[in-house]
């Protein structure tokens, strides 16, 4: 077995030292109660080549962003990742280290996390950020739990255009009862409805921006109103590149920002692992869940970094902790920060604009298809169109032609017939003019 | 002359008329180690005897502070926000947590005297 | 900036001191559009993100990486964390484009291979644990706990027994256990450990009453010991109408050898990043699938993977009829696919025979360390241990050296320390988990080093208090960091420093 260093001889010597005759003696207290060494209906070990062959066959069965014409977004985006990102995250010292509990031999991880926290705070326009969460959806759920702790109120209002799966995650994780949860799945955001629902029981209002359908909003007046009622505004961002062209959530007055950071440095991976970003105002510092890195100095007065504010966390506070979160998304946050460092201010804003431009170009072309309508009054790199046929049928037919044409809204919202013909389409810097022309050609054939 | 009482959870309260000043004992602050943060109650809220009213954190531990008596919070020690270390330096003096208007002086009868408390931590 | 490098030990300034607003390591085309379609919230703002060219970036991160200890560089005996070798085949396969470049919401007809992979790993996990069902979506161990306890909560609601709010957790448990239960609104009652490091069954029984909902028990527990009474405990729990959640963090001691399903548990999470070697990555990403017994399987979260004659498909909306009892959804998509690929590659490489060897070697290595050190260190409990061995700090008594000092001295000897001060039930705990991927040479050398350090404690505390001295940075002031939190770089830091 190539991964197990002990030889037969080693094992015998070691058993001798311990003073037992065979390995099962070490399991004897278990064997007294239940049968050990059961027979499994599983194959025996395989060579590296055999394993590789098997998994490659499974991989080959999938259409993917590099062998198709790819236009899907909805919380997971195809972007180009510079080669050096993957090189660095595969360095042993990053890949095979643990949570930085011993700061003297973990400064590499601690320093990049400190840099990551700074970059995230700058992007979101907030005071502080933690060292990452599992993904955007769980970050949003933790933001809601945080708002409930801060305001000591229970009612949560979700805007109607938040990603439907994000809404489900928030509801499940934050343990919101049906009567404490206001959410109405439909296409357009209804600001008046939100204003009307907010009252003295409201802990927070959660808005996604750009929303699930791709539209962008200035939330400044909403933020003011929400806060005037003693509630918090949580802004969710699923496409972090949008922050290169939009007012920051912080500038609009957000109290907590929860983002999905996958777009920088991380491939789509069929849904994970991703990296959640969570930022807030200084005054809520001690209510933020998860790992946080802070600056300090060592006994010689040298500057260094260390995990801090851990008295909030589960390993110390146990049942009184702010959250049960233990891990962050270490390696994904490393990929994120490397990609952002490679881009820099200029590159990030440029990449953001290239995404917008790509979507603008696709929109122009798509609207030439008869009976196709754009539903957005604004968008960043994805938008929603109404088709003359059901979205699901369209997307399946397009897939047969090698085009992954978007997300049929009915896949996520299956109880609102009005949305059946809608699809959400994304276009990024990776889509060429030729890709778009093939999309239009295929669409004209299937419609 | 103020009377001082103690709880088994290591809070002290100094009482004059029906106003009490509350903090944690020297023993508690030593057990916690270097105190880094104190979460104080808001002024005007009601405290209930035995219910958690504040939180005190060190690097490696965090602990609830339970109100020795019921009443209304009149004032919190805002110095603790910027210099929590005074809880270590002067726990029964400058390191006080909050001032409370006691709603029922009878509750004091259930608390310990200094002598009883010393015996309690000695055990 | 002053050069204070020493040989290969380089200082590395933070990004914000070396990067430039006009620098980039990525060449991009210039956008040419005239008018944007962003609307009111468009803003061309100054964000303040420094950039670096590619050579500078690589140097920055490579220099940082050299300040980290790693399992690739040496033994990493962190108890309860299972720092084992991470095979590189797994990394290669996770990067196959048919896995990494697949979107989670592609038409299901275009990602049958990805769904088949999820089905395969599900089959392995169910078979290895002897459990009826598995949900793959939890993002990490702690989310797995949340998943299991949400299913239990839902099952209790389905029985209309909402009075059952009490969850019993041993005092040796990981902090995530009580945190999870409390997060869900359960009342947590802590159960004491007995003098053998096992859960005190009498104390446990006394706390089971009509409000009893569930117990969360780690097995093997965090003392590295098998809970010998587990079957009796499980029966007692079930007779009382409650559920047994098992924290499977220590499954590495049992995999291929013992089926948790034979022990009477109702739900258990499995840390793919521990037992199945997906890399820890400096603190994540993890992956925490949960296996369920028959009585809980209907309450699993969305999405649910199913198969008809020809195809795999997903039931994604939890109002769909197949999962109408589901407690909801734990994350936006289908879980940590990248980790599933790595873990399946690991399982197939070992096979059923190799996995049994894994747990046997892990347990052998731990007991070998125990036997080789018990004359000089003080084991916390008598008898054989499982995959990790726990010592208390009695061997340090009177020396002035504390557990933390001993750990820091180990750093100067080239090792990552063992887990210290956990579990909380043992004074000054030192928890050593060598894993099965260490050679006998490596373990012998570790034993030798510990023996040397342990004898040195008799020569006074000075050496230990000063440690570490050979590291890029020495002991840090954690009080300062927590009293005045500086959690990000600010422009005026530089001004102040100048």
């Amino acid at each position: 077995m190539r991964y197990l260093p002990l030889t037969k001889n080693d094992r015998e010597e070691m058993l001798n030292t311990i003073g037992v005759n065979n390995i099962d003696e070490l399991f004897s207290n278990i064997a007294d109660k239940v049968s050990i060494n059961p027979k499994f209906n599983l194959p025996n070990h395989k060579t590296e080549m055999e394993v590789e062959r098997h998994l490659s066959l499974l991989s080959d069965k999938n259409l993917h962003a590099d062998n198709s014409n790819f236009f899907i977004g909805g919380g997971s985006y195809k972007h180009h990742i510079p080669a050096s990102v993957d090189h660095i995250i595969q360095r042993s010292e990053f890949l095979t280290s643990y949570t930085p509990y011993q700061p003297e031999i973990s400064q590499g991880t601690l320093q990049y996390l400190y840099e990551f926290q700074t970059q995230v705070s700058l992007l979101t326009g907030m005071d502080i950020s933690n060292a990452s969460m599992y993904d955007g959806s769980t970050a949003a759920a933790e933001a809601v739990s945080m708002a409930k702790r801060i305001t000591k109120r229970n009612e949560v209002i979700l805007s109607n255009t938040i990603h439907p799966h994000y809404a489900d995650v928030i509801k499940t994780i934050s343990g919101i009862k049906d009567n404490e949860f206001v959410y109405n799945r439909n296409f357009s955001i209804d600001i008046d409805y939100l204003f009307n629902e907010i009252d003295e029981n409201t802990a927070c209002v959660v808005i996604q921006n750009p929303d699930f359908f791709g539209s962008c909003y200035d939330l400044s007046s909403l933020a003011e109103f929400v806060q005037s009622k003693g509630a918090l505004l949580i802004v969710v961002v699923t496409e972090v590149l949008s922050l290169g062209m939009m007012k920051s959530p912080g500038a609009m007055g957000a109290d907590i920002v929860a983002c999905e950071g996958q777009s920088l440095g991380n491939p789509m991976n069929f849904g994970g692992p991703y990296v959640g970003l969570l930022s807030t105002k200084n005054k809520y510092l001690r209510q933020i869940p998860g790992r946080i890195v802070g600056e300090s100095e060592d006994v010689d007065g040298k500057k260094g970094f260390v995990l801090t504010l851990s008295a909030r966390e589960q390993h110390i506070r146990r049942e009184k902790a702010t959250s049960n979160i233990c891990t962050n998304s270490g390696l994904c946050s490393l990929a994120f920060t490397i990609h952002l460092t490679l881009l820099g201010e200029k590159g990030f804003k440029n990449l953001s604009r290239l995404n917008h431009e790509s979507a603008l170009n696709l929109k122009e072309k798509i609207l030439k298809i008869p009976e196709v309508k754009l539903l957005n009054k604004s968008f960043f790199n994805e938008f929603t169109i109404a088709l003359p046929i059901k979205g699901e049928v369209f997307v399946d037919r397009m897939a047969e032609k090698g085009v992954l044409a978007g997300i049929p809204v009915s896949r996520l919202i299956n109880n609102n017939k009005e949305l059946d013909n809608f699809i959400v389409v994304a276009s990024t810097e990776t889509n060429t003019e030729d890709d778009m022309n093939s999309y239009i050609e295929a669409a004209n054939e299937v419609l | 002359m103020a009377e001082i009482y103690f709880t088994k959870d290591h809070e002290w309260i100094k009482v004059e008329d029906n106003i009490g000043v509350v903090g944690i004992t020297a023993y508690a602050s030593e057990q916690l180690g270097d105190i880094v943060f104190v979460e104080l109650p808001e002024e005007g809220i009601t405290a209930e005897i035995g219910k958690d009213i504040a939180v005190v954190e060190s690097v490696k531990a965090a602990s609830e502070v339970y109100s020795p008596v019921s009443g209304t919070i009149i004032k919190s020690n805002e110095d603790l926000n910027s210099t929590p270390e005074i809880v270590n330096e002067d726990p029964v003096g400058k390191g006080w947590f909050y001032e409370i208007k006691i709603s029922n002086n009878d509750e004091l009868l259930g608390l310990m005297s200094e002598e009883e408390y010393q015996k309690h931590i000695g055990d | 900036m002053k050069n204070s490098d020493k040989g290969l030990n380089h200082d590395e300034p933070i990004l914000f001191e070396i990067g430039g607003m006009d620098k980039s390591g990525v060449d991009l085309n210039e956008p040419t559009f005239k008018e944007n379609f962003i609307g009111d919230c468009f803003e061309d703002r100054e964000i303040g993100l420094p950039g670096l060219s590619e050579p500078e970036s690589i140097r920055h991160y490579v220099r940082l990486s050299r300040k980290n200890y790693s399992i690739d560089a040496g033994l990493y005996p962190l108890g309860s964390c299972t720092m084992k070798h991470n095979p590189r085949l797994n990394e290669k396969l996770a990067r196959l484009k048919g896995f990494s470049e697949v979107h989670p919401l592609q038409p299901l007809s275009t990602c049958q291979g990805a769904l088949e992979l999820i089905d395969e790993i599900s089959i392995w996990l169910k078979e290895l644990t002897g459990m009826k069902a598995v949900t793959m979506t939890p993002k990490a161990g702690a989310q797995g706990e949340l998943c299991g306890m949400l299913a239990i909560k839902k099952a209790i609601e389905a029985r209309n027994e909402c009075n059952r709010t009490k969850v019993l957790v041993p005092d040796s448990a990981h902090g995530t256990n009580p945190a999870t239960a409390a997060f869900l609104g359960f009342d947590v009652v802590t159960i004491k450990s007995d003098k053998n490091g096992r859960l005190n069954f009498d104390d446990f029984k006394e706390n089971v009453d009509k409000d009893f909902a569930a117990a969360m028990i780690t097995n093997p527990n965090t003392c590295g010991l098998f809970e010998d009474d587990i079957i009796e405990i499980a029966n007692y729990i079930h007779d009382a109408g409650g559920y047994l959640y098992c924290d499977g963090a220590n499954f590495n001691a049992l995999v291929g050898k013992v089926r948790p399903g034979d022990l009477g548990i109702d739900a258990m999470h499995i840390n793919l990043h521990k037992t199945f070697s997906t890399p820890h990555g400096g603190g994540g990403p993890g992956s925490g699938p949960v296996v369920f017994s028959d009585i809980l399987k209907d309450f699993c979260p969305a999405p649910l993977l199913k198969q008809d004659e020809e195809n795999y498909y997903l039931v994604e909306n939890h109002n769909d009829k197949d999962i109408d009892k589901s407690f909801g959804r734990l994350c936006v998509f289908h879980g940590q696919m990248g980790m599933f690929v790595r873990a399946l590659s690991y399982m197939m490489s070992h096979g059923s025979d190799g996995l049994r060897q894994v747990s046997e070697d892990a347990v052998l290595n731990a007991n070998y360390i125990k036997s080789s050190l018990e004359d000089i260190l003080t084991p916390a409990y008598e008898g054989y241990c499982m995959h990790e061995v726990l010592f208390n700090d009695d061997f340090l008594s009177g020396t002035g050296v504390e557990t933390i000092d001993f750990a820091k001295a180990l750093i100067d000897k080239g090792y990552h320390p063992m887990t210290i001060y956990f579990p909380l039930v043992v004074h000054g705990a030192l928890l050593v988990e060598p894993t099965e991927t260490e050679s006998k040479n490596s373990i012998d050398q570790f034993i030798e080093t510990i023996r040397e350090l342990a004898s040195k404690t008799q020569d006074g505390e000075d050496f230990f208090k000063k440690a570490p001295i050979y590291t890029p940075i020495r002991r840090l002031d954690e009080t300062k960091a927590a009293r005045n939190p500086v959690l990000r770089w600010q422009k005026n830091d530089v001004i102040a420093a100048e």
Side-chain angles (χ1 to χ4, degrees):
Chain A
M1 203 27 266
R2 60 187 179 275
Y3 303 133
L4 301 175
L6 296 187
T7 63
K8 196 164 168 282
N9 209 13
D10 289 337
R11 291 186 184 113
E12 274 166 22
E13 275 182 43
M14 293 164 83
L15 289 169
N16 261 335
T17 305
I18 299 165
V20 292
N21 294 313
N22 60 62
I23 187 75
D24 281 349
E25 282 187 41
L26 298 177
F27 291 86
S28 59
N29 57 331
I30 306 178
D32 288 349
K33 306 274 175 166
V34 21
S35 67
I36 59 169
N37 303 325
K39 174 97 189 73
F40 294 102
N41 187 18
L42 293 168
N44 278 346
H45 68 275
K46 286 192 163 46
T47 64
E48 186 162 325
M49 193 172 70
E50 288 168 323
V51 175
E52 185 164 346
R53 188 178 294 146
H54 179 78
L55 290 190
S56 298
L57 283 175
L58 290 182
S59 162
D60 288 346
K61 290 184 186 176
N62 302 320
L63 209 54
H64 59 77
D66 282 359
N67 67 1
S68 66
N69 236 331
F70 187 87
F71 293 90
I72 312 182
S76 174
Y77 302 87
K78 165 68 183 163
H79 294 291
H80 180 258
I81 302 171
S84 49
V85 173
D86 198 42
H87 167 76
I88 295 167
I89 68 169
Q90 287 201 68
R91 279 190 65 91
S92 296
E93 299 88 337
F94 287 132
L95 185 75
T96 76
S97 54
Y98 197 71
T99 303
Y101 287 136
Q102 299 289 343
E104 299 89 346
I105 45 175
S106 314
Q107 284 298 304
T109 297
L110 288 161
Q111 183 170 332
Y112 92 67
L113 285 173
Y114 181 81
E115 295 172 358
F116 168 88
Q117 287 172 185
T118 309
Q119 286 172 322
V120 172
S121 305
L122 290 166
L123 282 174
T124 55
M126 302 299 284
D127 298 330
I128 48 156
S129 308
N130 75 4
S132 79
M133 311 292 285
Y134 307 137
D135 70 5
S137 65
T138 57
E142 289 288 341
V144 168
S145 299
M146 198 176 143
K148 286 167 68 180
R149 283 196 300 274
I150 291 167
T151 59
K152 301 192 171 72
R153 300 174 178 181
N154 281 330
E155 202 174 287
V156 175
I157 298 176
L158 300 198
S159 85
N160 19 22
T161 62
I162 191 169
H163 192 302
H165 287 174
Y166 272 60
D168 292 348
V169 173
I170 290 171
K171 192 173 174 179
T172 304
I173 296 184
S174 322
I176 307 166
K177 299 190 191 84
D178 285 330
N179 61 352
E180 294 169 347
F181 189 77
V182 183
Y183 179 52
N184 172 20
R185 289 175 176 176
N186 57 21
F187 172 71
S188 58
I189 205 163
D190 188 341
I191 294 277
D192 289 340
Y193 163 83
L194 290 178
F195 273 81
N196 283 329
E197 289 292 336
I198 300 167
D199 59 27
E200 67 283 357
N201 298 319
T202 308
C204 58
V205 174
V206 188
I207 286 218
Q208 184 180 326
N209 198 23
D211 69 11
F212 175 65
F213 300 98
S215 301
C216 312
Y217 300 91
D218 189 333
L219 305 171
S220 309
S221 54
L222 179 69
E224 229 168 274
F225 185 75
V226 169
Q227 285 148 7
S228 75
K229 298 286 178 187
L232 305 188
L233 179 69
I234 296 174
V235 175
V236 173
V237 180
T238 62
E239 172 51 290
V240 74
L241 281 177
S242 67
L243 298 174
M245 287 188 77
M246 287 168 64
K247 274 182 202 165
S248 73
M252 292 192 245
D255 293 287
I256 309 173
V257 183
C259 300
E260 174 54 66
Q262 172 266 330
S263 282
L264 289 173
N266 289 280
M268 295 178 290
N269 279 328
F270 200 52
Y274 289 174
V275 50
L277 320 178
L278 188 66
S279 309
T280 189
K281 296 176 171 169
N282 252 333
K283 61 178 169 181
Y284 304 134
L285 171 71
R286 290 181 195 263
Q287 290 300 335
I288 199 167
R291 303 263 188 248
I292 301 179
V293 173
E295 197 186 296
S296 188
E297 50 187 43
D298 75 357
V299 289
D300 300 328
K302 189 171 170 186
K303 185 163 133 181
F305 303 94
V306 63
L307 288 175
T308 190
L309 304 178
S310 46
R312 304 159 295 119
E313 291 186 80
Q314 45 76 27
H315 63 281
I316 291 178
R317 296 225 78 193
R318 298 178 80 84
E319 67 267 22
K320 295 248 165 68
T322 51
S323 158
N324 73 335
I325 298 270
C326 180
T327 10
N328 63 358
S329 200
L331 213 58
C332 301
S333 65
L334 177 62
F336 176 101
T337 189
I338 299 167
H339 193 179
L340 194 51
T341 300
L342 283 164
L343 286 166
E345 177 93 3
K346 198 164 145 253
F348 179 74
K349 285 161 76 169
N350 220 344
L351 181 59
S352 177
R353 279 162 179 73
L354 286 171
N355 271 263
H356 189 51
E357 181 169 74
S358 177
L360 285 173
N361 291 343
L362 181 68
K363 177 203 76 170
E364 287 304 314
K365 290 178 194 285
I366 271 187
L367 292 184
K368 293 202 177 102
I369 306 171
E371 294 183 80
V372 170
K373 285 194 217 54
L374 175 73
L375 295 166
N376 304 62
K377 295 192 179 71
S378 62
F379 61 73
F380 171 63
N381 70 353
E382 64 187 321
F383 51 79
T384 303
I385 51 174
L387 298 163
I389 59 172
K390 285 195 169 168
E392 229 156 295
V393 175
F394 175 78
V395 164
D396 284 341
R397 287 184 189 165
M398 291 288 275
E400 281 167 25
K401 296 186 172 297
V403 183
L404 295 176
I407 302 168
V409 172
S410 60
R411 177 162 173 187
L412 287 89
I413 305 176
N414 58 0
N415 53 4
N416 186 343
K417 290 249 174 299
E418 285 171 32
L419 308 178
D420 275 359
N421 289 11
F422 293 3
I423 64 166
V424 182
V425 186
S427 193
T428 72
E429 83 284 359
T430 60
N431 294 106
T432 64
E433 176 108 26
D434 282 351
D435 294 344
M436 296 181 199
N437 290 338
S438 316
Y439 187 108
I440 306 303
E441 208 176 291
N444 277 318
E445 283 169 30
V446 304
L447 283 174
Chain B
M1 183 56 200
E3 285 279 342
I4 186 161
Y5 303 89
F6 295 83
T7 69
K8 63 173 174 38
D9 300 313
H10 315 288
E11 292 89 15
W12 54 262
I13 179 167
K14 278 185 203 164
V15 184
E16 204 161 343
D17 298 329
N18 64 342
I19 304 292
V21 180
V22 178
I24 63 168
T25 64
Y27 174 81
S29 85
E30 272 163 38
Q31 290 293 311
L32 282 162
D34 289 344
I35 286 162
V36 298
F37 176 69
V38 181
E39 189 185 308
L40 295 164
E42 275 171 52
E43 284 161 27
I45 67 158
T46 322
E48 227 180 292
I49 181 168
K51 290 283 162 64
D52 50 323
I53 186 81
V55 181
V56 53
E57 287 183 14
S58 65
V59 177
K60 303 279 183 216
S63 174
E64 258 65 35
V65 174
Y66 304 97
S67 194
V69 292
S70 308
T72 310
I73 306 297
I74 312 170
K75 203 163 132 190
S76 282
N77 184 359
E78 282 172 16
D79 291 347
L80 300 187
N81 291 331
S82 51
T83 49
E85 53 269 36
I86 55 182
V87 179
N88 291 114
E89 290 156 9
D90 190 9
V92 195
K94 288 188 187 135
W96 61 277
F97 282 31
Y98 59 88
E99 236 177 72
I100 182 167
K101 184 159 185 265
I102 302 169
S103 56
N104 177 4
N105 273 22
D106 289 350
E107 286 176 355
L108 296 169
L109 300 174
L111 301 176
M112 287 184 263
S113 69
E114 181 143 22
E115 199 181 330
E116 284 167 327
Y117 177 72
Q118 290 305 334
K119 195 159 171 273
H120 169 69
I121 57 175
D123 286 345
Chain C
M1 247 166 287
K2 193 171 166 287
N3 179 352
S4 54
D5 296 345
K6 292 188 195 78
L8 285 177
N9 190 354
H10 294 115
D11 267 343
E12 181 59 13
I14 70 163
L15 168 65
F16 296 84
E17 291 165 3
I18 53 174
M21 291 304 135
D22 50 354
K23 275 196 181 180
S24 184
V26 181
D27 290 327
L28 295 166
N29 296 324
E30 287 294 321
T32 56
F33 63 92
K34 299 273 180 314
E35 257 178 73
N36 74 64
F37 199 66
I38 300 281
D40 297 344
C41 57
F42 170 77
E43 190 178 274
D44 188 4
R45 67 177 168 121
E46 200 180 297
I47 305 170
L49 299 167
L52 290 174
S53 64
E54 178 171 311
E56 290 169 297
S57 296
I58 295 215
R59 187 163 295 166
H60 179 63
Y61 292 105
V62 166
R63 283 185 174 219
L64 286 184
S65 75
R66 294 160 55 90
K67 297 172 190 293
N68 275 3
Y69 192 89
S70 65
I71 177 72
D72 282 352
L75 179 71
Y76 212 126
L78 261 185
S80 220
C81 300
T82 314
M83 294 298 287
K84 61 167 76 174
H85 171 65
N86 303 135
R88 289 314 191 274
L89 171 66
N90 307 352
E91 293 304 307
K92 180 180 177 185
L93 298 182
R95 284 166 173 80
L96 292 173
K97 288 191 171 175
F99 299 132
S100 66
E101 294 293 337
V102 181
H103 190 284
L105 295 177
Q106 278 182 209
L108 296 174
S109 61
T110 67
C111 51
Q112 287 294 307
L115 298 174
E116 190 175 338
L117 183 134
I118 296 180
D119 187 46
E120 279 192 19
I121 189 171
S122 302
I123 290 169
W124 276 84
L125 292 175
K126 284 188 286 189
E127 184 68 16
L128 287 170
T129 55
M131 299 288 280
K132 284 287 185 296
V134 63
T135 186
M136 295 300 299
T137 60
K139 290 261 168 184
Q143 216 195 19
E145 293 175 29
L146 195 69
C147 175
M149 294 307 288
L150 276 163
I152 288 171
K153 197 172 181 189
K154 193 83 183 176
I156 289 171
E157 280 167 23
R159 285 161 46 186
N160 272 324
E161 295 187 341
C162 296
N163 62 300
R164 289 183 180 268
T165 55
K166 192 167 167 183
V167 170
L168 307 187
V169 181
D171 53 7
S172 61
H174 296 109
T176 48
N177 292 179
T180 299
F183 191 78
L184 295 177
F186 286 112
D187 302 318
V188 177
V189 176
T190 306
I191 304 297
K192 286 188 213 71
S193 297
D194 66 16
K195 61 178 183 359
N196 300 315
R198 269 81 171 184
L199 182 144
N200 185 328
F201 196 13
D202 291 331
D203 187 28
F204 184 89
K205 285 183 202 161
E206 264 171 41
N207 278 286
V208 172
D209 56 18
K210 64 178 184 7
D211 297 334
F212 173 66
M216 298 180 82
I217 296 176
T218 310
N219 200 15
N221 67 23
T222 63
C223 302
L225 302 170
F226 190 81
E227 289 287 356
D228 296 331
D229 292 333
I230 190 72
I231 292 177
E232 290 82 352
I233 294 171
N235 290 336
Y236 195 84
I237 287 171
H238 293 142
D239 289 347
Y243 299 89
L244 172 55
Y245 183 85
C246 180
D247 181 329
N250 293 336
F251 189 45
N252 207 49
L254 302 180
V255 63
K257 196 83 187 161
V258 177
R259 277 188 303 238
D262 295 340
L263 307 175
I265 66 171
D266 296 307
M268 179 180 96
H269 75 265
I270 298 158
N271 305 82
L272 295 187
H273 49 284
K274 293 181 180 174
T275 311
F276 298 107
S277 90
T278 70
H280 281 83
S287 180
V290 178
V291 286
F292 289 103
S293 66
D294 214 27
I295 50 171
L296 287 179
K297 69 176 187 333
D298 291 343
F299 305 102
C300 286
L304 179 69
L305 178 66
K306 297 199 74 163
Q307 194 178 9
D308 59 21
E309 295 84 39
E310 288 163 10
N311 288 308
Y312 289 100
Y313 64 97
L314 289 168
V315 188
E316 289 178 287
N317 293 294
H318 61 81
N319 49 1
D320 290 340
K321 68 170 175 13
D322 283 333
I323 51 170
D324 55 359
K325 286 186 189 160
S326 159
F327 68 72
R329 173 179 277 277
L330 285 170
C331 63
V332 55
F333 300 121
H334 328 307
Q336 309 282 59
M337 180 67 173
M339 300 299 144
F340 305 161
V341 181
R342 290 171 173 91
L344 183 61
S345 165
Y346 174 92
M347 291 174 190
M348 290 183 68
S349 295
H350 285 79
S352 165
D353 52 339
L355 288 172
R356 179 170 303 163
Q357 194 69 59
V358 162
S359 54
E360 289 181 357
D361 285 359
V363 170
L364 180 65
N365 281 348
N367 278 289
Y368 179 67
I369 290 177
K370 183 170 191 248
S371 297
S372 309
L373 290 175
E374 60 193 350
D375 60 322
I376 189 156
L377 258 50
T378 39
Y381 300 104
E382 281 173 20
Y384 304 127
C385 60
M386 296 293 290
H387 65 305
E388 54 192 352
V389 48
L390 178 62
F391 299 98
N392 61 29
D393 62 358
D394 284 356
F395 74 103
L396 295 173
S397 100
T399 63
V401 180
E402 293 174 67
T403 295
I404 181 125
D405 308 320
F406 193 81
K408 298 296 184 193
L410 198 52
I411 293 177
D412 272 341
K413 289 287 179 188
Y415 284 103
H416 194 286
M418 59 289 280
T419 293
I420 51 173
Y421 298 112
F422 181 84
L424 309 175
V425 294
V426 166
H427 198 266
L430 302 102
L431 184 62
V432 181
E433 181 181 6
T435 83
E436 73 284 2
T437 61
E438 289 305 322
S439 68
K440 182 165 179 294
N441 276 342
S442 159
I443 290 183
D444 282 337
Q445 178 143 31
F446 176 70
I447 291 167
E448 198 49 49
T449 307
I450 298 274
R451 295 191 70 87
E452 187 194 325
L453 282 178
S455 347
K456 214 177 166 68
T457 57
Q458 304 304 321
D459 308 342
E461 59 191 81
D462 238 29
F463 171 84
F464 292 88
K465 294 286 177 198
K466 272 193 293 207
I469 51 176
Y470 300 127
T471 44
I473 196 149
R474 298 184 54 212
R475 284 201 214 183
L476 282 142
D477 185 346
E478 296 188 29
T479 305
K480 178 185 158 89
R483 266 187 194 155
N484 302 304
V486 179
L487 310 179
R488 59 176 284 193
W489 179 86
Q490 301 269 16
K491 250 185 189 154
N492 50 12
D493 278 7
V494 171
I495 300 164
E498 282 166 0

